[in-house]
Amino acid sequence: MNKSEYIKKLTSELGHMPYGDVKDIIQSMEEHFDEGIGEGRSEEEIAASLGSPEELAVEFKDGAKFKQVMKKRKLSDNFKGPDGRGRIFVIIFNLFVGIEMWLVLLAAIIAAACILAVDLAAIGMIITGLVTGILSEFMLPFIFLILTLICVAVFLVAILILGIKYYVRGLKNYIRWNKNVWHYGLGEE
């Protein structure tokens, strides 16, 4: 594949990225090809060293910058393929860490939903008591208890929202790390 074919295919693969980012990537790729040609390499050799445009586009879509991708490509020029240790490590690590992280997140969501359900039920009981006119000596402490539970629920929901936000960021990096270990192994011994 020559330079124009490679860049055309990469441009189509980057399709839904912002125009400015695609423009910068394509400009950097053209400069990379020009530098390689200046070093005496053919366009086909340069394209082969970059890998397929589809794989390269995936890396750019994951948020990698041009210098990071090129550094990774240079390191992977000597790469012989994934080793079995890396794949076994990813599987075992996910069994002991990854699954538990999902269970903790699920437990936090269920706990927040239960607290909100209790609050809503208690508010319904207060409204029912006020409408029917049954006010007892326990109504005032009950109202304060409900208000306290509502404050706790709001606090927990806020913490849960922030926790999920940072959990998703960490999970994105965790998945990227898993893919790297899966495809490239644990590295040199």
Side-chain angles (χ1 to χ4, degrees):
M1 186 179 307
N2 64 23
K3 174 183 171 182
S4 62
E5 292 170 343
Y6 192 90
I7 290 178
K8 183 178 178 181
K9 181 69 174 167
L10 181 62
T11 304
S12 69
E13 290 294 325
L14 295 173
H16 296 294
M17 287 182 67
Y19 174 75
D21 293 344
V22 173
K23 183 180 170 186
D24 291 341
I25 291 169
I26 297 305
Q27 182 180 4
S28 298
M29 291 302 295
E30 288 176 347
E31 291 172 3
H32 181 73
F33 269 96
D34 292 341
E35 287 175 10
I37 291 170
E39 295 171 355
R41 298 169 59 197
S42 71
E43 292 180 353
E44 287 76 16
E45 289 175 336
I46 298 168
S49 70
L50 291 171
S52 74
E54 294 86 3
E55 291 174 1
L56 194 59
V58 169
E59 290 184 42
F60 284 124
K61 288 178 185 177
D62 281 345
K65 301 295 179 202
F66 183 77
K67 289 182 181 179
Q68 294 170 328
V69 172
M70 291 300 108
K71 183 179 177 184
K72 187 175 180 181
R73 295 290 177 205
K74 287 179 183 174
L75 290 175
S76 65
D77 283 346
N78 300 327
F79 178 65
K80 303 289 187 271
D83 60 350
R85 297 176 309 139
R87 292 188 174 183
I88 291 171
F89 175 76
V90 167
I91 292 168
I92 292 173
F93 188 78
N94 285 325
L95 284 175
F96 289 105
V97 176
I99 294 171
E100 287 77 6
M101 290 189 313
W102 284 104
L103 292 176
V104 167
L105 180 64
L106 181 64
I109 291 171
I110 290 172
C114 290
I115 289 174
L116 288 175
V118 167
D119 287 344
L120 291 175
I123 291 171
M125 288 174 56
I126 289 175
I127 293 173
T128 303
L130 292 174
V131 169
T132 58
I134 303 173
L135 293 175
S136 68
E137 65 270 2
F138 299 110
M139 188 58 78
L140 189 60
F142 190 64
I143 290 172
F144 285 120
L145 175 66
I146 297 304
L147 291 175
T148 303
L149 286 175
I150 289 173
C151 290
V152 168
V154 168
F155 177 73
L156 287 177
V157 167
I159 287 178
L160 187 63
I161 289 170
L162 287 174
I164 289 174
K165 175 184 173 184
Y166 291 108
Y167 181 81
V168 167
R169 283 185 185 174
L171 184 64
K172 184 178 177 182
N173 290 331
Y174 177 73
I175 290 171
R176 199 174 288 143
W177 173 79
N178 268 308
K179 284 173 39 179
N180 188 36
V181 172
W182 185 267
H183 292 294
Y184 300 107
L186 292 173
E188 300 295 323
E189 291 186 351

